[in-house]
Amino acid sequence: MNKLYSLLLLCLLSCSHPLLYAQGENNNWHFGKKQSINFNVNPPLQQESNIMSYEAAVAVSNAQGQLQFYTIGSRIWNRNGVEMPNSNGLLGNGPIIGGQPAGSSAYGAQVIKHPGNPNRYFVFSGDAQEDNTYNVYYSVVDMTLDGGNGDVVPGMKNIPIMTNGSEYMAVTKGADCKSYWLIVRTNAIWVRDYYAFKIDVNGVNTTPVITTPPAFMIGAFLPLIFGNDGTSMYSMGTGGIVFAQFNNVTGVVSGFQSFPAYSFGPIALSADNTKLYTAEGTAGVKQYDLTLMPNLTAVQNSAQIVSPTPNPNYMTSFQDMRRGPDGKIYLLRQEFGSSYYNVTIDCIPQPNLSGTAAGYNIAAFDYVSSWSPPLGLNTFWRFGDDFIVNPEVDTIARTTKDTVVCFASSLNLQSPEADAAYYQWSNGANGSTASVSADGLYWVYSTNNCQTYIDSFKVHFTRFSLDLPDDTAMCENNTLQLDVTNPAIEAYLWNDGDANGVKTISQAGRYSVRASSGLCSLSDTITVSITHPKVDIPQDDLSMCNNNISPITAEANVPGSYYWNTGDTGRVLIPDHSGIYVVSHLNACGLYKDSVRVTINDCICKIMIPNVFTPNGDGRNDVFLPVTAPGCNFMFYDMRVYNRYGQQIYYTNNAASGWDGTFRDQPAEAGAYMYSIKYTNRYTDETKIESGDVILIR
């Protein structure tokens, strides 16, 4: 034991730098088999704990670094290392070995402070894969219970939120610096969705926001870590290193990218988030330069090995990495051979630096425990997870901006913090902009990295209209009065120097006026011409069919009303009889008239077919020719004649042609012949077929 602590002291002195005590919520680590590290002292102190877990664990301290409790989700110990009285029977994070949960759910324990109650914490616990169940539960710890040592609230434990979860959970901050998100990957074999549960002042929202990753993420299920902004998300999947964005307002994961790397290894970020560290099998610990984003190829090519060459006599594996509150990255390294097994905790002392400048110290901690099971049974694979805490929010009030809005119905106010994570406007809007439509003093709270700013806007709308009539024609010897007066207008100026709101026009010309109120002004222009009014029916005298009546249209060069001698009104008239139609146009200049003569013919198409003809050359009834009504106009005409044998002996498509009683230039025999006549009326598009017999007499 003394030898172990001597090595610990030497390594910590070489790895240490002054601690920052501003936020001490993660200054106590409790993990593995009876392991703990106290970061409240410099160098950090390794101590023994009562915790027993193969993997998941979380230790909760207050802002001053004072331990509150630690948990594996299915067991909870208070600050004194005693299990909380009402924590018996907690589910998740198994399997059960020797009557106790073994804590083999990889990331299956997470703790979130209740945003609406500073004395309460949500403890989440997920089933271990070995149990072949996939439930996620939460219980509520209240630190006012059990004499201030904390206990699980009666009736508020083992509350289920998922039945298809997995061992892989993570916590990140909400955009408003008050809420949190719990992200859980599902246990589906082919598609492992992200379930995001929001935790706010109202508690745990058990309705998740679900994101299905793209095809290259199928099967990926390894750890999730978040950048300092709470939105940049990194994980190791079956396809390699995966990059994504988490929207901590909506809970949606997007922007998935990846490049090949060793799968299933632990990952960690440097404190400044410029370096990503991965443990990639026998390759060792790699560092990637994230300042090269979004060029993913450049990030991939920036990989540098920072760990020393492993001892060739043993197998070496890195089970976990976690950044400490001192900014260093600690690595859980295992060495083993046929009869040898050793667990040490290494550290990267300056992970913000590039390549080997980051340093690497072996055995910053050793395995220290009075619990001595058989070789190998003391194996553990995780340091546990950070207790994520929203930082204190500082509020800064900035100056008020006066804004005059000219003639707009609304104004989009823009927060000076264009990329803030959270906005709250006095009118209820919650984006970077807010639309306002009335005079008033408006303010916006914008939160960026948990720094809240108050910006105010004093808005005054200037609204008035200036509407001259459309360009117009004025009757000769008349005048036109233009009135643009408005109580909101302070000054008028016409292009001829007139400063009145009312102007009388007596001559043709272009007139413009500018109206202003304060800094706001409008201009409008009208062109006035002198015209001689008239009304005209452009059509000449018309002749039309009674089944194809065309409208008569009158046109006037000034506005007015139309009256016809039939009693009809309007520009257009449909005639219904032959005669003279007169239109009168009444306008501001007087009454004007025009007329047109219309003749309506009977154009209904009918044919009369004789039943006998005598082609004897006497000039009477010598041709078989149907008789059409006057004005009949065919769009299509087809007449055919057949003998008694059904042989076609005559055809024409000309309604003016008929059969002269010959066939092949020879007189046809007297007797009965059959005919078929098909025709289409051009005006009605109606097609008719007539057929029958005709007698040829010689």
Side-chain angles (χ1 to χ4, degrees):
M1 179 70 72
N2 292 334
K3 179 180 178 182
L4 291 173
Y5 276 101
S6 297
L7 289 172
L8 168 64
L9 179 61
L10 289 173
C11 291
L12 290 182
L13 284 173
S14 64
C15 293
S16 62
H17 63 73
L19 294 174
L20 300 177
Y21 293 99
Q23 297 293 325
E25 286 87 352
N26 287 287
N27 278 8
N28 294 282
W29 289 8
H30 287 254
F31 59 92
K33 301 299 182 66
K34 294 183 175 289
Q35 302 296 299
S36 75
I37 302 175
N38 179 0
F39 287 93
N40 288 304
V41 295
N42 186 16
L45 178 63
Q46 184 180 20
Q47 298 172 306
E48 188 171 324
S49 170
N50 284 338
I51 195 168
M52 295 291 286
S53 179
Y54 281 104
E55 299 182 69
V58 180
V60 175
S61 300
N62 61 20
Q64 291 71 42
Q66 298 168 331
L67 180 65
Q68 302 298 294
F69 64 90
Y70 50 92
T71 180
I72 66 171
S74 52
R75 299 178 72 182
I76 306 175
W77 292 264
N78 64 22
R79 62 172 63 94
N80 301 315
V82 177
E83 289 198 58
M84 292 183 177
N86 192 34
S87 67
N88 59 301
L90 295 181
L91 301 175
N93 202 9
I96 301 298
I97 298 176
Q100 295 289 354
S104 188
S105 179
Y107 298 83
Q110 302 290 336
V111 177
I112 295 176
K113 191 172 185 177
H114 195 314
N117 187 335
N119 295 313
R120 289 192 169 187
Y121 298 82
F122 297 105
V123 177
F124 294 90
S125 181
D127 284 343
Q129 186 173 345
E130 294 92 325
D131 283 327
N132 293 317
T133 55
Y134 308 99
N135 302 306
V136 178
Y137 313 89
Y138 75 89
S139 303
V140 180
V141 169
D142 191 322
M143 294 306 297
T144 65
L145 299 178
D146 193 27
N149 289 318
D151 199 0
V152 177
V153 178
M156 299 187 73
K157 67 180 184 179
N158 295 329
I159 301 170
I161 61 170
M162 283 185 74
T163 58
N164 61 335
S166 71
E167 297 185 352
Y168 301 99
M169 306 194 301
V171 173
T172 190
K173 299 176 290 187
D176 58 1
C177 294
K178 298 177 182 178
S179 59
Y180 301 89
W181 292 90
L182 174 73
I183 297 92
V184 186
R185 292 296 299 273
T186 61
N187 72 319
I189 295 175
W190 295 112
V191 179
R192 296 181 181 272
D193 292 337
Y194 291 92
Y195 276 41
F197 298 89
K198 190 171 187 179
I199 294 90
D200 56 21
V201 294
N202 300 310
V204 179
N205 185 342
T206 57
T207 301
V209 178
I210 302 173
T211 299
T212 298
F216 73 84
M217 283 286 292
I218 289 177
F221 58 87
L222 284 174
L224 310 175
I225 62 171
F226 287 87
N228 294 336
D229 60 2
T231 63
S232 300
M233 194 172 79
Y234 308 88
S235 64
M236 288 290 282
T238 55
I241 300 176
V242 178
F243 302 77
Q245 288 294 312
F246 179 75
N247 187 321
N248 58 359
V249 176
T250 65
V252 174
V253 186
S254 63
F256 291 95
Q257 302 179 79
S258 72
F259 60 72
Y262 178 81
S263 299
F264 315 130
I267 56 178
L269 284 168
S270 60
D272 62 3
N273 282 195
T274 64
K275 308 295 185 298
L276 176 68
Y277 290 86
T278 67
E280 302 186 24
T282 57
V285 178
K286 285 185 180 180
Q287 179 198 84
Y288 294 90
D289 187 352
L290 297 181
T291 64
L292 301 174
M293 289 291 286
N295 188 335
L296 209 62
T297 300
V299 175
Q300 180 180 5
N301 293 336
S302 72
Q304 299 185 68
I305 302 293
V306 298
S307 59
T309 303
N311 188 329
N313 298 317
Y314 305 110
M315 291 293 294
T316 300
S317 67
F318 295 90
Q319 298 300 322
D320 199 12
M321 284 193 286
R322 181 179 176 185
R323 189 177 74 234
D326 54 5
K328 305 167 189 175
I329 292 178
Y330 293 89
L331 304 96
L332 179 60
R333 182 171 55 90
Q334 294 183 355
E335 287 183 336
F336 50 93
S338 59
S339 60
Y340 172 79
Y341 177 81
N342 188 40
V343 179
T344 62
I345 298 173
D346 302 345
C347 82
I348 300 173
Q350 300 185 79
N352 292 344
L353 301 183
S354 296
T356 56
Y360 194 95
N361 293 326
I362 296 176
F365 295 98
D366 240 327
Y367 184 85
V368 178
S369 177
S370 60
W371 184 68
S372 301
L375 179 66
L377 292 182
N378 56 357
T379 301
F380 62 97
W381 295 279
R382 290 290 323 284
F383 287 127
D385 288 292
D386 282 342
F387 169 51
I388 305 299
V389 182
N390 281 308
E392 294 293 329
V393 178
D394 294 329
T395 302
I396 300 175
R398 297 192 280 208
T399 58
T400 300
K401 179 181 179 182
D402 288 331
T403 304
V404 176
V405 185
C406 297
F407 311 115
S409 60
S410 63
L411 171 68
N412 277 336
L413 296 176
Q414 173 71 55
S415 169
E417 297 297 318
D419 298 319
Y422 174 79
Y423 300 93
Q424 182 60 57
W425 292 83
S426 53
N427 67 348
N430 54 15
S432 62
T433 63
S435 178
V436 299
S437 57
D439 291 1
L441 180 64
Y442 300 90
W443 52 258
V444 58
Y445 281 83
S446 55
T447 300
N448 202 349
N449 292 327
C450 297
Q451 180 75 59
T452 297
Y453 301 95
I454 304 175
D455 293 283
S456 301
F457 306 83
K458 187 177 182 180
V459 180
H460 172 65
F461 285 89
T462 297
R463 298 188 182 106
F464 60 83
S465 61
L466 180 68
D467 297 308
L468 288 173
D470 294 337
D471 292 349
T472 188
M474 186 173 63
C475 300
E476 189 176 16
N477 300 322
N478 280 5
T479 60
L480 175 66
Q481 189 177 71
L482 302 176
D483 186 352
V484 293
T485 56
N486 188 312
I489 297 176
E490 297 175 353
Y492 307 89
L493 182 62
W494 293 85
N495 58 328
D496 60 0
D498 190 351
N500 295 306
V502 179
K503 189 171 186 63
T504 301
I505 306 297
S506 59
Q507 296 180 351
R510 184 176 176 84
Y511 298 87
S512 62
V513 61
R514 183 180 183 84
S516 59
S517 178
L519 299 175
C520 303
S521 64
L522 288 175
S523 297
D524 201 4
T525 301
I526 182 175
T527 299
V528 179
S529 60
I530 305 297
T531 187
H532 299 281
K534 65 177 182 178
V535 65
D536 180 50
I537 300 175
Q539 298 104 320
D540 295 328
D541 289 350
L542 299 171
S543 177
M544 59 187 74
C545 293
N546 61 350
N547 59 353
N548 190 24
I549 301 296
S550 299
I552 307 170
T553 303
E555 297 177 353
N557 61 346
V558 294
S561 301
Y562 298 85
Y563 304 93
W564 296 85
N565 60 338
T566 60
D568 295 283
T569 60
R571 291 180 60 241
V572 180
L573 175 71
I574 305 298
D576 59 3
H577 62 277
S578 297
I580 297 175
Y581 289 83
V582 180
V583 65
S584 299
H585 185 256
L586 181 63
N587 54 59
C589 298
L591 184 66
Y592 302 83
K593 295 183 179 182
D594 195 15
S595 63
V596 65
R597 179 183 296 277
V598 177
T599 301
I600 298 178
N601 302 306
D602 184 5
C603 298
I604 300 175
C605 197
K606 298 179 180 178
I607 64 173
M608 294 174 289
I609 305 171
N611 58 6
V612 65
F613 77 111
T614 58
N616 53 15
D618 62 0
R620 300 176 56 192
N621 201 23
D622 285 333
V623 178
F624 174 56
L625 177 67
V627 179
T628 62
C632 190
N633 192 346
F634 292 112
M635 183 188 311
F636 172 82
Y637 184 85
D638 181 295
M639 185 177 82
R640 302 173 189 266
V641 178
Y642 303 89
N643 60 22
R644 66 178 178 273
Y645 303 109
Q647 183 181 18
Q648 178 179 304
I649 62 173
Y650 179 75
Y651 165 77
T652 184
N653 59 6
N654 185 351
S657 298
W659 181 39
D660 61 0
T662 64
F663 177 53
R664 296 177 179 172
D665 298 327
Q666 298 296 320
E669 296 180 356
Y673 291 84
M674 296 173 289
Y675 63 85
S676 172
I677 303 172
K678 183 177 182 181
Y679 59 93
T680 301
N681 189 337
R682 182 175 299 279
Y683 301 114
T684 64
D685 290 338
E686 180 183 13
T687 298
K688 292 186 177 181
I689 298 176
E690 306 284 352
S691 61
D693 297 327
V694 60
I695 305 300
L696 188 156
I697 301 176
R698 290 198 183 275

